[in-house]
Every structure is written in C-alpha cells, then in structure tokens.
Amino acid sequence: SGHAGVHVGALSGWGYYGGFVLRHGMGLPLLLLCLTGVGLLMLRSRREDLVLLAGIGVYFTVLGLGQTGFVRYALPLVPLLCAAGGHACRILWSRHRVAALVLAAVAAGPSLAEALLFDRIVSRTDTRLLAGEWLSHHVPAGAPIAMLGSDYGFPHVPRSRAWYEDALAEACAAGHSGARLAAALEMSDPSLDAGFYVIQVVPGGDESGRTVRSASIEQLRLAGAEWVAVHRYPLPYSAVGEDVERELAVQTTRALVIDPFAAAPSGARFDRFDAFYVPYTGLRAVERPGPTIEIRRLEPPTAG
C-alpha cells in the first residue's frame, strides 16, 4: 500500500524493481549478463537448475506485488542472479577463456567503479554531523533549537536532560512506554548536561506540544528558540512547506549552509521510500552523505 505517502506509481512493482532498482543497483551490463544466464538455465532445463530459477522467480513475483519499493528489498535477488550470470560465464569459459574474462570484466567493471565511488562518498563526514559540530561550538548548551521536518535529516546534537524528561512525559501521555528515553535518563549520560533542547516542528503537530509541535516563527520565539535548522533533499522526508520557507526568508538570518551536492541533483535519482541521504544512482552529483542543512537565526521582532 506504499510507505509514508510514497507509492511505486504508474510502473508496476515488477517494472519498478526491474527497470529502476536492479537496473541501477547492479548496473545494466551485469544485470544483462545475469538475465542471459537465467535464459540459458531455462533452456538447459535440468532439475537441479529449478532450485535457482524458483528462488529468482518466486521472490521477484512476490517483490512486485505491492506499491512499496524499498530498494533493499531486492538484495536477496542479487546473489541468485549473479549465480545465473556465473553460469553464462562458465559456458563461455569452456570455449574461449579470454573472451570469458573480458565478458566478466565488462559486466562487473561499471558496478565495481560505482561501489568504489559510493565508499569514497560515505567515508566523508555527513552533513548532519558537520551541522551538529557547528551548533555545539556556536550555541550555548541547553539552548532550545527548532528543527523543521523529519528527524531523519536533523543535525546530530546531543539532547538535554530537560528534553528527555519532556519527551518521556509526552510519550507516556500518548500511551507509549518511552523505555529508551527512560533508560537514557537512568544512565545519567554526561552528554545530557551539554545537550540541547530540540523542538521538532512538523505540519499538523500538537499546538501545545513541547518537543514535537506545529508552530509558527512567533510561537518558536515564545518557546525561547533563537536558532532554526532546516534540511532539504529530493526526498519526502525533507520537504519544507512554501509557507514556512516564506516565513524563514523574512524573519530569520542565514548563519550556515552545508551543501552535499557537487553539481545540480537533476542527474541523480533516489530511493524515494527510504530516508537514505545518498543518491541511488548519479553519485557524482554529491561530495558527501547527508541533506543540505541550513542553520538560521531568528531576528528580533520588529514593530509592524
């Protein structure tokens, strides 16, 4: 039925997983080699081949039934498909070994290059960590910081003891156990004394909430927030409403922008279902993981 309002869309689940997830996740040359291997196994039609073919066929059939398209759901198919691709290489190896080696290199080379580029990107410091370090150096401990949108893209900062106490009270009032919040308080982590009071601002949140709320800029001022963190990215988890953007432009001053993009993100495509802040394809568009984060400072209210 989809996830968080996101659906596969006009493509069927099978079209999405075949034409996008496997196409870009494995790389087209490797995927074509593997599909060739599947065809050769079907033509050979031995009983022992049915185990592999059944695994591929049954899993892919179930995979495409719904409207939810996390790319990670396709992971079990990859070794099965590669085993089929290995069968195609083995047939060529028995006839022409040099050609088999060339075929394997051509098929695996682009995927290997993408894997190395991905590793290089994720080895760099995430924008959420960089923004958290900046806040720790420029904002007094314990100060309230408003953070807009989903907490997946928030700057990484420790939370204060007061925040944990209020978050636990709100969780219990909502009928939840709040076990992890209670455990954090019981452990008396020293970081609680140097943490910040994070106010998560989400559309449709509780108007009277303390840690999660729906608030205007003026309400944030009344709550004592002087700093606002906004994250943007081509994912639904980082959407900022136009009304909020207009308020921020008028009533705040930009203090910091950390942008992970090395080029326009138009050439990159993303796993829209997951809050994974690295492109699924088009990795050269980014320099590091994480969303674009903007830290803004609330201007004092003016007459009129």
Side-chain angles (χ1 to χ4, degrees):
S1 61
H3 177 78
V6 183
H7 303 83
V8 168
L11 285 175
S12 67
W14 300 291
Y16 180 77
Y17 276 102
F20 175 69
V21 175
L22 293 173
R23 155 73 178 84
H24 295 292
M26 296 181 68
L28 186 58
L30 182 59
L31 178 60
L32 291 176
L33 172 63
C34 293
L35 292 178
T36 300
V38 170
L40 291 172
L41 287 171
M42 294 174 69
L43 287 174
R44 191 171 71 167
S45 190
R46 291 183 181 175
R47 291 181 61 186
E48 57 267 29
D49 298 337
L50 293 178
V51 177
L52 181 61
L53 293 173
I56 295 171
V58 171
Y59 192 84
F60 187 74
T61 299
V62 175
L63 189 64
L65 288 175
Q67 281 288 315
T68 302
F70 286 98
V71 299
R72 62 177 183 264
Y73 289 174
L75 282 174
L77 276 175
V78 175
L80 304 182
L81 287 169
C82 286
H87 172 66
C89 284
R90 186 185 66 82
I91 293 176
L92 185 58
W93 177 268
S94 65
R95 300 176 181 180
H96 199 298
R97 294 192 173 190
V98 174
L101 290 173
V102 171
L103 176 63
V106 169
S111 302
L112 177 60
E114 287 290 294
L116 293 173
L117 179 57
F118 175 82
D119 288 349
R120 187 174 68 181
I121 290 170
V122 296
S123 70
R124 296 168 179 162
T125 306
D126 193 291
T127 60
R128 290 163 286 192
L129 293 174
L130 294 173
E133 291 173 4
W134 189 92
L135 288 168
S136 296
H137 286 93
H138 292 82
V139 179
I145 303 174
M147 297 192 183
L148 276 60
S150 163
D151 57 359
Y152 292 120
F154 283 179
H156 185 71
V157 294
R159 311 295 172 94
S160 66
R161 187 178 305 278
W163 181 88
Y164 274 100
E165 291 170 348
D166 287 347
L168 178 59
E170 289 180 338
C172 293
H176 305 300
S177 66
R180 286 184 291 181
L181 297 167
L185 286 168
E186 290 171 3
M187 287 189 292
S188 298
D189 191 326
S191 67
L192 299 182
D193 299 321
F196 299 93
Y197 196 99
V198 175
I199 303 171
Q200 181 179 2
V201 182
V202 296
D206 188 352
E207 293 288 346
S208 61
R210 294 184 62 83
T211 63
V212 181
R213 62 190 301 172
S214 176
S216 66
I217 296 296
E218 190 56 40
Q219 288 175 316
L220 293 176
R221 282 200 186 95
L222 293 175
E226 185 181 355
W227 298 92
V228 180
V230 186
H231 57 91
R232 301 179 179 88
Y233 210 70
L235 292 174
Y237 304 96
S238 292
V240 178
E242 293 181 4
D243 293 342
V244 176
E245 291 277 16
R246 283 193 291 267
E247 267 197 295
L248 289 172
V250 173
Q251 301 193 51
T252 63
T253 301
R254 181 187 294 163
L256 175 73
V257 175
I258 303 176
D259 190 351
F261 289 97
S266 57
R269 297 179 68 184
F270 302 84
D271 176 7
R272 297 177 294 112
F273 292 86
D274 211 348
F276 188 65
Y277 287 91
V278 177
Y280 188 60
T281 181
L283 290 169
R284 286 164 182 78
V286 299
E287 294 179 329
R288 63 180 67 251
T292 299
I293 294 181
E294 191 172 75
I295 309 295
R296 304 187 71 96
R297 191 167 192 168
L298 289 175
E299 295 286 358
T302 57

